[in-house]
Amino acid sequence: MPEVNRPGRGAQEPPDVAVADVGPPGETHGVEVHDRAEGCVLGLALGDALGAPFEFRRAHEIPDPLPAFERPWMGRPPGVTTDDTAMARNLVRSLAARRGFDAEDLVRRHVEWLASGPPDVGALTRRVLRRVADGRPAEEAARSVWEERGPEVSAGNGSVMYCAPLGVAFAHRPDALFDLAPRLSAVTHFDGRCRTAVLAVCLAVAALVRGEPAQPAVRGALDAALDRPGGEELEFLVDAVGGSRPVDGPDQGFCLFTAAVGLRAVLRAAEGSEAAEGRVERELRGAVALGGDTDTNAAVAGALLGAVAGRSGLPVAWLDRLSDREAIEREAAGLVPLAEEGSDALRRP
């Protein structure tokens, strides 16, 4: 895969228009903002469901060809989603109901979801939400867990896995993400590298939803993250994951791995000449084939790919097998007004 184009640090890309005819054919050409907004959320769920049956396997243990939407997960039928999608849906509902980011409302939804007894919850997320349920403020709880556990085991991907809808909601107000994305991460994951990963993914999603081509969208996200904790490592990993840097070892849940897999997938998809649906399928299969935290890596990749291809460019056969697809689609549609808010300010004269 070719490296990301690297303009000089501090160089600014010219602003892109907010309408859909930006970029060369095969990227965002002809795809409307509402389609990309919905595609991002549905793509996240598709990647999650695709990768769930192969979670925590080494790369050499992943079947080739991958049996897509054919195997169960934790005794549940093919096509079901995991905690990645559940927490993303909490975020989608909160954003739509509150007309923006409301950390207290989001945390309340997460705590209620935890109390419902989901089959799988990340260890760090569970610890933090239990403390919140006992009355601790979320960021205080997240910070205390981070301090107790130490940075070596506290930079997991539990916040980056579900953050993409925030980028959708602020697609045309990206400056707000520099504050909101780290705050979203700190609800459960206080580590600075987690905040950096969430910021990079949200900025890339926002750029893609408003119509920027993949290369400048990813470059802008990496530049914004560069001077933050883990920013230089993330830039390196976008080129290295799955090659010189395996992601299926003991550190497989590392937040920067997951962000890098997603950013890499959208860059690789931009190289393809086939229809959008084929490129999405190819890159999601590729994300799962890397092994490791397959559902989360594919969820973030799916969100970014969906933000380019739109709902109309996602694999139809996979959508037909996605559990609770209609409800996810309805909820995703609730983000469209937020995604379009402020778009006039970005139009060229």
Side-chain angles (χ1 to χ4, degrees), residues 36 40 164 166-175 177 199-212 217 304 307 339 346:
R36 294 195 293 270
C40 179
L166 184 69
V168 174
F170 287 86
H172 289 99
R173 296 166 290 163
D175 287 350
L177 293 172
L199 175 62
V201 169
C202 286
L203 286 172
V205 165
L208 295 168
V209 168
R210 66 177 178 263
E212 290 189 18
L304 287 157
L346 293 184

Side-chain angles (χ1 to χ4, degrees), residues 10 16 31 58 62 64 93 142 156 170 195 198 210 249 300 339:
D16 280 295
V31 183
R58 301 302 295 262
I62 305 293
D64 183 18
R93 294 168 183 146
F170 287 86
R195 299 181 192 217
V198 169
R210 66 177 178 263
V300 174

Side-chain angles (χ1 to χ4, degrees), residues 298-319:
V300 174
L304 287 157
L305 291 164
V308 176
R311 178 198 171 283
S312 59
L314 298 176
V316 174
W318 290 5
L319 284 172

Side-chain angles (χ1 to χ4, degrees), residues 46-335:
L46 277 182
D48 181 22
L50 177 71
F54 311 100
E55 190 177 21
F56 306 135
R57 294 193 190 185
R58 301 302 295 262
H60 70 269
E61 297 173 333
I62 305 293
D64 183 18
L66 188 76
F69 292 84
E70 296 177 13
R71 297 192 179 182
W73 172 71
M74 298 187 71
R76 299 178 177 225
V80 299
T81 56
T82 76
D83 54 330
D84 302 51
T85 300
M87 296 186 76
R89 292 178 71 180
N90 286 343
L91 177 57
V92 169
R93 294 168 183 146
S94 179
L95 287 164
R98 305 298 297 168
R99 303 294 302 161
F101 180 66
D102 183 331
E104 290 186 7
D105 182 75
L106 176 63
V107 170
R108 176 184 61 77
R109 293 171 189 268
H110 284 343
V111 170
E112 289 175 356
W113 164 73
L114 181 66
S116 73
D120 185 39
V121 184
L124 192 150
T125 296
R126 185 187 296 274
R127 287 190 185 199
V128 171
L129 292 181
R130 280 179 171 169
R131 295 187 186 191
V132 174
D134 289 338
R136 298 276 293 277
E139 188 165 338
E140 179 184 314
R143 182 179 189 126
S144 66
V145 169
W146 176 72
E147 290 172 342
E148 292 164 13
R149 289 165 57 92
E152 292 303 315
V153 291
S154 298
N157 55 20
S159 57
V160 73
M161 73 183 189
Y162 78 94
C163 71
L166 184 69
V168 174
F170 287 86
H172 289 99
R173 296 166 290 163
D175 287 350
L177 293 172
F178 287 88
D179 171 55
L180 298 181
R183 284 174 54 197
L184 171 62
S185 182
V187 165
T188 54
H189 288 65
F190 191 83
D191 192 278
R193 293 163 294 178
C194 300
R195 299 181 192 217
T196 297
V198 169
L199 175 62
V201 169
C202 286
L203 286 172
V205 165
L208 295 168
V209 168
R210 66 177 178 263
E212 290 189 18
Q215 209 28 271
V218 172
R219 182 68 260 158
L222 292 176
D223 281 347
L226 204 55
D227 294 325
R228 295 170 180 257
E232 291 187 357
E233 185 175 4
L234 177 59
E235 182 182 50
F236 163 76
L237 287 171
V238 170
D239 292 325
V241 286
S244 61
R245 191 61 176 91
V247 297
D248 61 346
D251 53 356
Q252 60 187 248
F254 185 34
C255 60
L256 298 183
F257 285 173
T258 295
V261 169
L263 295 170
R264 168 185 180 269
V266 80
L267 288 173
R268 285 170 51 95
E271 299 170 358
S273 58
E274 69 266 47
E277 183 173 327
R279 283 179 282 131
V280 170
E281 182 171 333
R282 165 169 54 86
E283 292 308 320
L284 283 180
R285 288 179 181 273
V288 174
L290 297 176
D293 201 350
T294 50
D295 61 325
T296 296
N297 292 342
V300 174
L304 287 157
L305 291 164
V308 176
R311 178 198 171 283
S312 59
L314 298 176
V316 174
W318 290 5
L319 284 172
D320 289 343
R321 299 178 196 174
L322 178 65
S323 177
D324 218 15
R325 173 256 185 102
E326 292 183 358
I328 296 170
E329 203 164 6
R330 284 195 304 271
E331 292 165 2
L335 289 184

